[in-house]
Amino acid sequence: MDIAILDAIQEHLRTPLLDQVMLLATHLGDLALVWLIAAAVLIAQPRHRRYGIAVLLAVVATAILGMFVLKPLFGRTRPFVAYEFAGLLIPPPSGDSFPSNHSMVSFAAAAALCCLPGKGRAVLALKVSAVAVACLIALSRIYLYVHYPSDILVGAVIGIAVGVASVQVVKKAWPEPPPSGSE
């Protein structure tokens, strides 16, 4: 089923415009830069500092888990190698395919960002944007033929779990200060 989905995308969805959108999307996930910027912005705000630290922890934890534990453990060959796909739009990524680190890191950061308290428009926009960017980054990896859909799905699930766990760890390690004026 994985390869059928990859081939269907190549046959029915690939266009020059989508090529450019997916290249931009995949580069948003490179080195987790978009998520590190989000973490830095939150860390700079005392009210949201714990959540910025949780995003940073989620990014680092999933990157390490993926690169040093899961990818070597499973050793799955990337689809462009396994199926001799010659239409890559990016330089061939090195390393194994399963799970997708771009997806794990993105969904971990997005999950941590979704734990941010508040219901205002700015907080809601941040949460929706984080999920949308994570989904776009993950989809780009399939579109670009560098991951199987199952790599993305498992990466997203693990990422969400690590992101939520990161928030819980930070909350326990760094309790919220009491409201000012209370004794």
Side-chain angles (χ1 to χ4, degrees), residues 76-134:
R76 187 178 196 186
T77 303
R78 290 186 181 267
F80 70 87
V81 173
Y83 295 94
E84 299 177 2
F85 180 74
L88 282 185
L89 297 174
I90 59 173
S94 60
D96 297 310
S97 188
F98 184 86
S100 164
N101 254 26
H102 273 72
S103 298
M104 260 195 331
V105 167
S106 294
F107 280 95
L113 288 166
C114 284
C115 293
L116 193 67
K119 296 183 184 199
R121 285 185 185 179
V123 171
L124 180 59
L126 175 67
K127 292 176 181 181
V128 169
S129 297
V131 171
V133 169

Side-chain angles (χ1 to χ4, degrees), residues 12-20 143:
H12 303 292
L13 295 180
R14 191 133 179 214
T15 66
L17 175 61
L18 267 181
D19 287 354
Q20 294 307 308
Y143 183 91

Side-chain angles (χ1 to χ4, degrees), residues 54-55 57-59 61-62 104-105 107-113 115 157-169:
V55 170
L57 176 60
V59 166
T62 51
M104 260 195 331
V105 167
F107 280 95
L113 288 166
C115 293
V157 170
I158 294 169
I160 291 167
V162 172
V164 171
S166 295
V167 170
Q168 297 308 312
V169 165

